[in-house]
Each structure stands twice: as structure tokens, then as C-alpha cells.
Amino acid sequence: MRAIPVIAGLTFREAARKKLLWMALAAGIAFLALFGTGLHYQAKDLAARSHAIIRRPALESMLMVGLYATDLLAVLMTVLTSVDTLSGEIDSNTLHALAAKPVYRREILLGKWLGLAAMLTAYVLFMTGGITLISNRIGGVRPQHLANGLVLIWLECLLMLSVTIAGGTYLSTLTNGVMALGLHGLAFLGGWVEQAGAALHSPRAVDVGIVASLIMPTESLWRRAAFEMQSPLINALGFSPFSTLSVPSPAMMGYALAYLLAALGLALWRFSRLDL
Amino acid sequence: MLLGLVAPTGGRAWVLGHPAGNVPARAKVGFLPEHFRFHEWLNAEELLRLHGRLYRMPAGQLRRRIPELLDLVGLAPHRKKRLSDYSKGMLQRAGLAQALLNEPDLIFLDEPTSGLDPVGRLLVRDIIKAERQRGATVFLNSHLLSEVEITCDRVAFLKRGEVLSVRDIGSLIESEIRVSVKADGLSAAMVAGLNSHVSEAQLEEGQLNFRVASKSELPQIIRYLVGQGAQIFEVTPRPPSLEEIFLQVIGKDSVL
């Protein structure tokens, strides 16, 4: 297992050298600046016009909007950074010289996974931390259980990472990207169907959403993260991307974790047997 | 397959005494793939350091070995340049350095001279010779038979993944050779008298061509011809080229 940190370092350095890391950071800073500016004017105008009872939920909603956008960006970032890491190197024969060294295939795969996971962890921390800090400074609001939410968003990224890497052992880069985003799209739609079903008291619609979450549990992790982070008042606002009328259960979180491990296991199994 | 990149469909093989695909055994194996690509955002020094770390070479040994190898393959002045700015020949040299990094006992070179100019090809030949003297076994895979002829001790002919024949290059040179003799006073009777020693003897415009099993028989044949009154000006023994043997073994109508 001594090659894992070498490959992880290589993967991380590759992102930095290819300017991927810096581009993500620049885009993140621009995103935070836009969010901060928007929130600043909203807070100012709300302070002039409305009572604190209205002001607080409005700013808390903005905080959730920021976190929701961060979550979506993080998922996209996960797919974009990891989609090419195996299939691209298999297609270009870059793996030949690496895989012929005294290293196990599992070390290469886990190294890549860890390198990308480290980068995504830094990204999620930076973005979520930025949104939280800005909301607290400008709007005076903060997420309820930030640590729980953060862990769930992080898990969502690691789940997506594992699925994309597993896909890379079967599919070409482009097809893998379509598969990963397609699955997340399905989960995303499923989440909405579930919420709408809960709002309209349609248990069968809720079931459809749950089935979608079983096929791909990324969105259910966000829904739970939103439930953990928002104040009960926002939840009462009704049907929104972060409303949690139907809260994903702890069992679903356990399922998501098992899904992550299964995807990683599948990737390891397949990559160890792959003809390069 | 021997390096574990492709799983065998059947059979068994050993590399340095270990079953093919054994990971720890690869610590003493060097490999230059044919269509290799490296992480092109690295420079040559970083590439060698990365591969050295994968070989688990200690940092001190790498500090000594990397400049040594970059010097050997002539990349020392370009060691800080990104591989994406390298020419095909420079990449080939970097690849070669990577394959020699761990002072391997067994080196697989897949078409190592492709993309190289004559100077580069000479360099590869010299490196292979030096590695052989060091005691390493070099496994050269090439379609350039003249290259193989100069470099190798033993040659295996493969067709559709099957070894058809394995021969020593030395024994090829010693094996049946073609001889042409330029002489005056050759006659059909003389040629007929030779038939017990040679094969395919033909007399054409004062030149006698034949095949003989071994070079050692030539003095006797020359003595016979002179004894019969022939005036010999030139005797040219020509061992078969590897290309001729290749065509004999593989067949001219070989499917690509």
C-alpha cells in the first residue's frame, strides 16, 4: 500500500499543474463574491423595509440557496475532475508504464481516489465555509447543524467520485460522464417528485422518489444535509429545493454509505482484472 | 502478459522465477512500452522521480541515479523541460531512462528505436550492450530485423502470438551459408563433383553459386576447385540474413 500516497500526490499535483485546481478556486471565489454582494444588498433592503421576524427567514433562505448551489457545484466538480482519470489514462496508454511497476492495481485506483477526494474535501470545505462565513457576517444567520450538513455534502461528493471512478473502469470518458450526470439527474428529479408527493399527500409519488434515491442516493444526501442545516422555520415555507417535507431517513444515509463502498469495491474489483 | 498488463487466456509463465503478473517480481524489471504516454505535465526529472518512487527506490539512490540516467540518454540539458514540449525522439529517450531506473535484471523494450534518428538508434544499441554486460537480460521486441541481428544473442519468431522458432543468432551465422565463387576455368563436371559437399550448385556466367552446411567446409571446396584447374579470384560466403530466415520461418504469405 506504499504506492497509494505516491499516486494520490500525483493526482493532486496533476490537478494543480493542469490549472484545474486554480480554475475551481477562481470560480469558487467569484461565486462567493456574487453571493456576498447579493446577500449584502438583500440584508440592507430588508433591514430598511421589514421586521426582524420576516428578515431572518429570508436571509436563512438565502443561506440555504448558497449551500444548495455549492452542493450542485461540488457534485459537478466531482464528475468533471474524476471522469477522465481512469478511462483517459487507459485510452492514452499512460497506465502502461505505471501498472508495470511493482504496484498493485488497487494501489493505483485507491491513490487516484484519495487524491481526488482530498481535492474535493478542500473544495467543499472552502465553499461551504465561505458561504457560512459570509452569511454569518453579512446576514447574521448560520446553519443549524453545520458539521452534520458538511459531512453529508462531503459524503455525496465521495459517493459521486466512487460511482464515476467505477464507471471509468467500464466506459469511455464521455459515456462515463453522461452516465454519472444522468444518474445524478435521476436522483435530482426523484428528490423533487418525492417532495411534491409529500406536499400533495401522494404516497405513491413519494415511493417513486424513494426508488430514484435507491438507484442513486446523491440527492437524498443533500436533502438530509438541508434538513440538518436549515432552521425549522424555513422548512415551514413549503415546497423548495431545500424543503424537507419528506426527510431521508438515517437508514437511507446508511444505504448511501453502503452504495459508496460498493461502487468503490466494484471499481477495485474491475480495475484489478482489466486488460490494459 | 508477462508484466500483468493483460491476463493470459491460458497456460503459465514465469518472470525472474515468479509466476507472470507477480507484483513484487516487477521490482527488478524495466519496461518501455511501445505506444507509451507519460504524464506530460511532468518534466524528465519529475518523471524519473515518480517512477523511482513506484519502484520504492530510496531518495538517496534516486538523487544519484536520475542525473546519471539523464546524462546517459542525453536529456540532461532538457531535464527541467515539460514532457509536453519534447519531440518523439526525446520522449523515447525519457522512456528508456525510465526503464533502466531500477538497474533491472530483466528489461522489456518494445520497439525502442521507433522515432529515433540514427544517433538515437546507436545510443539504444550501446545501452542494450552495456546492460547485457552488466548482467541484465534484455527482451527486445522489434520489427527492425537488422536491429535485432546486431543487438541480440537469441531470437524468437512469433506468429499470431505463437513462438514458431527460437534460434541463437550465432548459430544462424554458422548455419547453412550461401557462397559465390568467381573463377576462370569452371566446368559443369567440376560442379557435379562438388554435389556431395554442397547443395543447389549452379554455374552462371563464370560464377559458381552454392549452399554449404558450414563455413568450415570452404577450404576443402576451394582446394578441390583449384586442384581441378579452376583459377579462383574471389570467394564470398554470405550467411543468411535474419530477414531471409524470418521469411522462411513465418512464410511469405504471412497474414499481418
Side-chain angles (χ1 to χ4, degrees), chain A residues 3 6-7 10 13-14 17-18 89 92-94 96-105 107 274-276, chain B residues 3-7 23-24 26-27 31 33 35 37-39 41-42 46 50-51 53-56 82 98:
Chain A
V6 180
I7 303 284
L10 179 78
R13 268 198 303 160
E14 181 168 18
R17 285 281 181 90
K18 285 183 168 173
E89 292 200 356
S92 66
N93 297 329
T94 312
H96 276 180
L98 285 190
K101 295 283 176 294
V103 295
Y104 291 93
R105 296 270 183 99
E107 293 178 291
L274 201 61
D275 283 348
L276 296 178
Chain B
L3 289 162
L5 294 176
V6 178
V23 172
R26 289 188 221 143
F31 176 44
H35 300 293
R37 270 266 298 274
F38 294 126
H39 296 94
W41 46 273
L42 294 170
E46 291 169 329
L50 165 72
H51 286 263
R53 289 181 70 196
L54 292 176
Y55 275 126
R56 294 172 191 182
R82 277 188 179 207
Q98 168 273 140

Side-chain angles (χ1 to χ4, degrees), chain B residues 16-29:
Chain B
L16 298 174
H18 298 271
N22 178 280
V23 172
R26 289 188 221 143
K28 290 311 274 176
V29 176

